Amino acid sequence: MSSTSTADLSSNAPAPATSKRRSFALQTFAPHIILLIVLAVTFIAAPGYRTSTQIASLLQLAALLGIVAIGQNLAILVAGIDLSVGAVMTFTNLVTALVMAGSNANMPIAIAFTLLIGLAVGLLNGLGIALLKVPDMVMTLATMTVLLGAGYLVTGGVNKGNASPAIVSFMQARFGGVLTGGVVLWVILGIGIILVLRKTVFGTQLYAVGLSRRAAQASGVRVPVVIISIYVISGLMSALAGLMLTGYIGSSYYDLGGPYQLKSIAAVVIGGTSIFGGVGGYGGTFSGVLTITVLLAFLQVVGLSDAGQQIAYGAVLLLMLILFARQQRKN
């Protein structure tokens, strides 16, 4: 080989590494940049959203989605998905409203039911996926269908029960004019999951499973335990969000959690987590949650009909998801 050829190869060698670094930087900062753009457009088009009252309302809505997205984020990080999150929220909402019956005295029982529902559904999903090798999409779709049927069976198709004053106050009382208990809880849980992913052995194993389950198994990672744990966490987060939704609405409503299924997936992917697993984190998802919440608010103030809002929202989400998915595939 000539010296000229060797020189040419040497000069070109760093290019792929440079390209990967730029791609990684883009994927890391893109969710936050998109959030800033959406915020700027919304605040300019609708100055009323700059008030503390409206900001508090946006944060309240974001908190519900953000807590659901914690579990969804973990599932997607291992190249899975949880289609049952909305149904878990709905079922928890129906059951806890019925149990609370507007009384603070029933709150401990309602919380116990919340934990039981989340644990049982998450464990069922995890065992089916990890041990029975049922595809995650099929398993969680089946669970979703069962829960929706069970919810109809419990209520007979009629909304029953009311939230207790304690949970209503937790979700609606504002500290400093902006923060509610739900928002504070979301921030605490969000910071907690970021630390778990970045600083613990479980977080390292989770990323390893997402990159390659076979390689993780060969390295001594108990892959089934990691997967079951993830879906249990997802079930618990969805059930907790369902309880919070009961306090936010004040009563029960059939399929109230349905929209959170798509929203949670979109928030995670827009937040930069790869749908192929092993790349991403909750820091980006945090911005993804806020982006979706503010985007919906913007579509409401531009005067579109409900149908127009759904079409525009779906089109924007589809575009962003395609762009992020293509970027992740290149990486």
mmCIF file of all heavy atoms in Angstrom, residues 16-34 270-273 279-280 284 324 327-328 330-331:
data_model
loop_
_atom_site.group_PDB
_atom_site.id
_atom_site.type_symbol
_atom_site.label_atom_id
_atom_site.label_comp_id
_atom_site.label_asym_id
_atom_site.label_seq_id
_atom_site.Cartn_x
_atom_site.Cartn_y
_atom_site.Cartn_z
ATOM 1 N N PRO A 16 -16.114 8.602 11.181
ATOM 2 C CA PRO A 16 -17.258 7.907 11.761
ATOM 3 C C PRO A 16 -17.440 8.208 13.246
ATOM 4 O O PRO A 16 -18.565 8.377 13.718
ATOM 5 C CB PRO A 16 -16.907 6.429 11.540
ATOM 6 C CG PRO A 16 -15.963 6.434 10.378
ATOM 7 C CD PRO A 16 -15.170 7.694 10.534
ATOM 8 N N ALA A 17 -16.342 8.275 13.994
ATOM 9 C CA ALA A 17 -16.442 8.574 15.421
ATOM 10 C C ALA A 17 -17.013 9.958 15.648
ATOM 11 O O ALA A 17 -17.850 10.170 16.528
ATOM 12 C CB ALA A 17 -15.066 8.451 16.074
ATOM 13 N N THR A 18 -16.550 10.916 14.828
ATOM 14 C CA THR A 18 -17.065 12.284 14.932
ATOM 15 C C THR A 18 -18.552 12.322 14.621
ATOM 16 O O THR A 18 -19.337 12.981 15.294
ATOM 17 C CB THR A 18 -16.314 13.212 13.976
ATOM 18 O OG1 THR A 18 -14.930 13.157 14.278
ATOM 19 C CG2 THR A 18 -16.822 14.639 14.106
ATOM 20 N N SER A 19 -18.947 11.581 13.582
ATOM 21 C CA SER A 19 -20.349 11.539 13.193
ATOM 22 C C SER A 19 -21.206 10.950 14.308
ATOM 23 O O SER A 19 -22.302 11.431 14.594
ATOM 24 C CB SER A 19 -20.507 10.695 11.916
ATOM 25 O OG SER A 19 -21.864 10.560 11.572
ATOM 26 N N LYS A 20 -20.680 9.901 14.964
ATOM 27 C CA LYS A 20 -21.431 9.282 16.050
ATOM 28 C C LYS A 20 -21.579 10.224 17.240
ATOM 29 O O LYS A 20 -22.618 10.268 17.885
ATOM 30 C CB LYS A 20 -20.735 7.988 16.489
ATOM 31 C CG LYS A 20 -20.923 6.842 15.515
ATOM 32 C CD LYS A 20 -20.322 5.563 16.060
ATOM 33 C CE LYS A 20 -20.563 4.396 15.102
ATOM 34 N NZ LYS A 20 -20.006 3.126 15.617
ATOM 35 N N ARG A 21 -20.497 10.983 17.518
ATOM 36 C CA ARG A 21 -20.569 11.930 18.627
ATOM 37 C C ARG A 21 -21.601 13.012 18.354
ATOM 38 O O ARG A 21 -22.354 13.413 19.233
ATOM 39 C CB ARG A 21 -19.192 12.556 18.875
ATOM 40 C CG ARG A 21 -18.211 11.636 19.598
ATOM 41 C CD ARG A 21 -17.038 12.421 20.151
ATOM 42 N NE ARG A 21 -16.261 13.036 19.090
ATOM 43 C CZ ARG A 21 -15.221 12.451 18.489
ATOM 44 N NH1 ARG A 21 -14.850 11.238 18.841
ATOM 45 N NH2 ARG A 21 -14.552 13.086 17.533
ATOM 46 N N ARG A 22 -21.617 13.498 17.101
ATOM 47 C CA ARG A 22 -22.608 14.523 16.741
ATOM 48 C C ARG A 22 -24.021 13.959 16.830
ATOM 49 O O ARG A 22 -24.948 14.631 17.295
ATOM 50 C CB ARG A 22 -22.331 15.029 15.328
ATOM 51 C CG ARG A 22 -21.075 15.890 15.220
ATOM 52 C CD ARG A 22 -20.794 16.247 13.790
ATOM 53 N NE ARG A 22 -19.595 17.089 13.672
ATOM 54 C CZ ARG A 22 -19.035 17.418 12.512
ATOM 55 N NH1 ARG A 22 -19.559 16.984 11.368
ATOM 56 N NH2 ARG A 22 -17.955 18.180 12.494
ATOM 57 N N SER A 23 -24.186 12.713 16.369
ATOM 58 C CA SER A 23 -25.499 12.079 16.415
ATOM 59 C C SER A 23 -25.957 11.897 17.858
ATOM 60 O O SER A 23 -27.121 12.127 18.198
ATOM 61 C CB SER A 23 -25.442 10.719 15.708
ATOM 62 O OG SER A 23 -26.685 10.069 15.774
ATOM 63 N N PHE A 24 -25.033 11.497 18.727
ATOM 64 C CA PHE A 24 -25.369 11.306 20.141
ATOM 65 C C PHE A 24 -25.753 12.625 20.791
ATOM 66 O O PHE A 24 -26.718 12.711 21.550
ATOM 67 C CB PHE A 24 -24.177 10.684 20.869
ATOM 68 C CG PHE A 24 -24.390 10.538 22.350
ATOM 69 C CD1 PHE A 24 -25.185 9.522 22.853
ATOM 70 C CD2 PHE A 24 -23.813 11.434 23.244
ATOM 71 C CE1 PHE A 24 -25.398 9.384 24.216
ATOM 72 C CE2 PHE A 24 -24.021 11.308 24.614
ATOM 73 C CZ PHE A 24 -24.817 10.275 25.089
ATOM 74 N N ALA A 25 -24.986 13.679 20.464
ATOM 75 C CA ALA A 25 -25.290 14.996 21.030
ATOM 76 C C ALA A 25 -26.659 15.477 20.575
ATOM 77 O O ALA A 25 -27.431 16.028 21.357
ATOM 78 C CB ALA A 25 -24.205 15.995 20.621
ATOM 79 N N LEU A 26 -26.970 15.245 19.290
ATOM 80 C CA LEU A 26 -28.264 15.652 18.760
ATOM 81 C C LEU A 26 -29.387 14.910 19.465
ATOM 82 O O LEU A 26 -30.393 15.509 19.872
ATOM 83 C CB LEU A 26 -28.315 15.373 17.250
ATOM 84 C CG LEU A 26 -29.648 15.677 16.553
ATOM 85 C CD1 LEU A 26 -29.969 17.159 16.651
ATOM 86 C CD2 LEU A 26 -29.595 15.236 15.095
ATOM 87 N N GLN A 27 -29.222 13.604 19.642
ATOM 88 C CA GLN A 27 -30.247 12.800 20.286
ATOM 89 C C GLN A 27 -30.417 13.188 21.753
ATOM 90 O O GLN A 27 -31.516 13.131 22.297
ATOM 91 C CB GLN A 27 -29.874 11.321 20.178
ATOM 92 C CG GLN A 27 -30.956 10.378 20.684
ATOM 93 C CD GLN A 27 -30.652 8.944 20.326
ATOM 94 O OE1 GLN A 27 -30.062 8.641 19.298
ATOM 95 N NE2 GLN A 27 -31.043 8.035 21.198
ATOM 96 N N THR A 28 -29.331 13.605 22.395
ATOM 97 C CA THR A 28 -29.376 13.973 23.803
ATOM 98 C C THR A 28 -30.082 15.304 24.022
ATOM 99 O O THR A 28 -30.915 15.444 24.923
ATOM 100 C CB THR A 28 -27.954 14.044 24.385
ATOM 101 O OG1 THR A 28 -27.317 12.766 24.241
ATOM 102 C CG2 THR A 28 -27.990 14.431 25.858
ATOM 103 N N PHE A 29 -29.770 16.284 23.190
ATOM 104 C CA PHE A 29 -30.288 17.635 23.407
ATOM 105 C C PHE A 29 -31.579 17.921 22.637
ATOM 106 O O PHE A 29 -32.291 18.869 22.970
ATOM 107 C CB PHE A 29 -29.233 18.670 23.030
ATOM 108 C CG PHE A 29 -28.034 18.660 23.943
ATOM 109 C CD1 PHE A 29 -26.818 18.155 23.520
ATOM 110 C CD2 PHE A 29 -28.140 19.128 25.245
ATOM 111 C CE1 PHE A 29 -25.716 18.135 24.367
ATOM 112 C CE2 PHE A 29 -27.051 19.115 26.099
ATOM 113 C CZ PHE A 29 -25.828 18.614 25.665
ATOM 114 N N ALA A 30 -31.894 17.120 21.636
ATOM 115 C CA ALA A 30 -33.083 17.368 20.817
ATOM 116 C C ALA A 30 -34.373 17.448 21.631
ATOM 117 O O ALA A 30 -35.191 18.345 21.398
ATOM 118 C CB ALA A 30 -33.198 16.312 19.719
ATOM 119 N N PRO A 31 -34.613 16.536 22.600
ATOM 120 C CA PRO A 31 -35.868 16.635 23.373
ATOM 121 C C PRO A 31 -36.021 17.968 24.094
ATOM 122 O O PRO A 31 -37.125 18.525 24.148
ATOM 123 C CB PRO A 31 -35.749 15.482 24.377
ATOM 124 C CG PRO A 31 -34.800 14.519 23.756
ATOM 125 C CD PRO A 31 -33.826 15.355 22.993
ATOM 126 N N HIS A 32 -34.918 18.489 24.632
ATOM 127 C CA HIS A 32 -34.977 19.747 25.367
ATOM 128 C C HIS A 32 -35.163 20.934 24.413
ATOM 129 O O HIS A 32 -35.867 21.888 24.730
ATOM 130 C CB HIS A 32 -33.715 19.919 26.204
ATOM 131 C CG HIS A 32 -33.356 18.699 27.006
ATOM 132 N ND1 HIS A 32 -34.229 18.134 27.922
ATOM 133 C CD2 HIS A 32 -32.240 17.923 27.016
ATOM 134 C CE1 HIS A 32 -33.655 17.068 28.468
ATOM 135 N NE2 HIS A 32 -32.456 16.916 27.935
ATOM 136 N N ILE A 33 -34.528 20.853 23.246
ATOM 137 C CA ILE A 33 -34.683 21.913 22.239
ATOM 138 C C ILE A 33 -36.122 21.958 21.740
ATOM 139 O O ILE A 33 -36.721 23.032 21.599
ATOM 140 C CB ILE A 33 -33.702 21.693 21.070
ATOM 141 C CG1 ILE A 33 -32.258 21.825 21.565
ATOM 142 C CG2 ILE A 33 -33.984 22.679 19.939
ATOM 143 C CD1 ILE A 33 -31.216 21.423 20.531
ATOM 144 N N ILE A 34 -36.695 20.766 21.466
ATOM 145 C CA ILE A 34 -38.081 20.700 21.005
ATOM 146 C C ILE A 34 -39.022 21.284 22.054
ATOM 147 O O ILE A 34 -39.959 22.029 21.741
ATOM 148 C CB ILE A 34 -38.472 19.247 20.685
ATOM 149 C CG1 ILE A 34 -37.737 18.767 19.432
ATOM 150 C CG2 ILE A 34 -39.985 19.116 20.486
ATOM 151 C CD1 ILE A 34 -37.936 17.303 19.131
ATOM 152 N N ILE A 270 -40.018 10.596 22.068
ATOM 153 C CA ILE A 270 -39.655 12.001 21.833
ATOM 154 C C ILE A 270 -38.558 12.420 22.800
ATOM 155 O O ILE A 270 -37.720 13.272 22.485
ATOM 156 C CB ILE A 270 -40.899 12.903 21.979
ATOM 157 C CG1 ILE A 270 -41.863 12.648 20.819
ATOM 158 C CG2 ILE A 270 -40.511 14.386 22.011
ATOM 159 C CD1 ILE A 270 -43.177 13.352 20.947
ATOM 160 N N GLY A 271 -38.533 11.787 23.969
ATOM 161 C CA GLY A 271 -37.489 12.070 24.953
ATOM 162 C C GLY A 271 -36.136 11.475 24.609
ATOM 163 O O GLY A 271 -35.185 11.630 25.376
ATOM 164 N N GLY A 272 -36.032 10.770 23.480
ATOM 165 C CA GLY A 272 -34.742 10.283 23.019
ATOM 166 C C GLY A 272 -34.415 8.849 23.369
ATOM 167 O O GLY A 272 -33.316 8.376 23.072
ATOM 168 N N THR A 273 -35.336 8.126 23.988
ATOM 169 C CA THR A 273 -35.083 6.716 24.295
ATOM 170 C C THR A 273 -35.310 5.875 23.049
ATOM 171 O O THR A 273 -36.344 6.001 22.387
ATOM 172 C CB THR A 273 -36.006 6.224 25.427
ATOM 173 O OG1 THR A 273 -35.684 6.936 26.626
ATOM 174 C CG2 THR A 273 -35.834 4.739 25.672
ATOM 175 N N VAL A 279 -30.689 2.512 24.968
ATOM 176 C CA VAL A 279 -30.232 3.899 24.829
ATOM 177 C C VAL A 279 -31.341 4.836 25.283
ATOM 178 O O VAL A 279 -32.492 4.684 24.874
ATOM 179 C CB VAL A 279 -29.850 4.236 23.371
ATOM 180 C CG1 VAL A 279 -29.458 5.696 23.251
ATOM 181 C CG2 VAL A 279 -28.724 3.338 22.887
ATOM 182 N N GLY A 280 -30.983 5.802 26.134
ATOM 183 C CA GLY A 280 -31.957 6.794 26.582
ATOM 184 C C GLY A 280 -31.987 6.882 28.097
ATOM 185 O O GLY A 280 -31.106 6.397 28.789
ATOM 186 N N GLY A 284 -34.523 12.793 29.363
ATOM 187 C CA GLY A 284 -35.148 13.186 28.100
ATOM 188 C C GLY A 284 -36.645 12.987 28.122
ATOM 189 O O GLY A 284 -37.405 13.810 27.594
ATOM 190 N N PHE A 324 -37.360 10.713 15.151
ATOM 191 C CA PHE A 324 -36.547 10.141 16.224
ATOM 192 C C PHE A 324 -36.220 8.677 15.936
ATOM 193 O O PHE A 324 -35.096 8.227 16.197
ATOM 194 C CB PHE A 324 -37.267 10.268 17.562
ATOM 195 C CG PHE A 324 -36.978 11.557 18.273
ATOM 196 C CD1 PHE A 324 -37.762 12.676 18.051
ATOM 197 C CD2 PHE A 324 -35.927 11.654 19.146
ATOM 198 C CE1 PHE A 324 -37.497 13.862 18.702
ATOM 199 C CE2 PHE A 324 -35.647 12.833 19.798
ATOM 200 C CZ PHE A 324 -36.428 13.953 19.576
ATOM 201 N N GLN A 327 -33.470 8.493 13.384
ATOM 202 C CA GLN A 327 -32.198 8.886 13.977
ATOM 203 C C GLN A 327 -31.634 7.760 14.828
ATOM 204 O O GLN A 327 -30.426 7.467 14.785
ATOM 205 C CB GLN A 327 -32.391 10.137 14.836
ATOM 206 C CG GLN A 327 -31.102 10.687 15.448
ATOM 207 C CD GLN A 327 -30.125 11.169 14.399
ATOM 208 O OE1 GLN A 327 -30.505 11.717 13.377
ATOM 209 N NE2 GLN A 327 -28.828 10.936 14.641
ATOM 210 N N GLN A 328 -32.499 7.092 15.581
ATOM 211 C CA GLN A 328 -32.046 5.996 16.435
ATOM 212 C C GLN A 328 -31.579 4.818 15.599
ATOM 213 O O GLN A 328 -30.612 4.136 15.961
ATOM 214 C CB GLN A 328 -33.193 5.586 17.375
ATOM 215 C CG GLN A 328 -33.514 6.643 18.430
ATOM 216 C CD GLN A 328 -34.860 6.419 19.083
ATOM 217 O OE1 GLN A 328 -35.578 5.478 18.751
ATOM 218 N NE2 GLN A 328 -35.233 7.303 19.989
ATOM 219 N N LYS A 330 -30.168 4.943 12.702
ATOM 220 C CA LYS A 330 -28.836 5.279 12.163
ATOM 221 C C LYS A 330 -27.735 5.021 13.168
ATOM 222 O O LYS A 330 -26.612 4.694 12.820
ATOM 223 C CB LYS A 330 -28.801 6.749 11.723
ATOM 224 C CG LYS A 330 -29.639 7.038 10.472
ATOM 225 C CD LYS A 330 -29.595 8.519 10.135
ATOM 226 C CE LYS A 330 -30.479 8.834 8.926
ATOM 227 N NZ LYS A 330 -30.470 10.287 8.623
ATOM 228 N N ASN A 331 -28.075 5.230 14.455
ATOM 229 C CA ASN A 331 -27.063 5.045 15.501
ATOM 230 C C ASN A 331 -26.736 3.573 15.723
ATOM 231 O O ASN A 331 -25.783 3.245 16.350
ATOM 232 C CB ASN A 331 -27.551 5.662 16.823
ATOM 233 C CG ASN A 331 -27.678 7.168 16.725
ATOM 234 O OD1 ASN A 331 -27.067 7.787 15.874
ATOM 235 N ND2 ASN A 331 -28.503 7.764 17.582
#
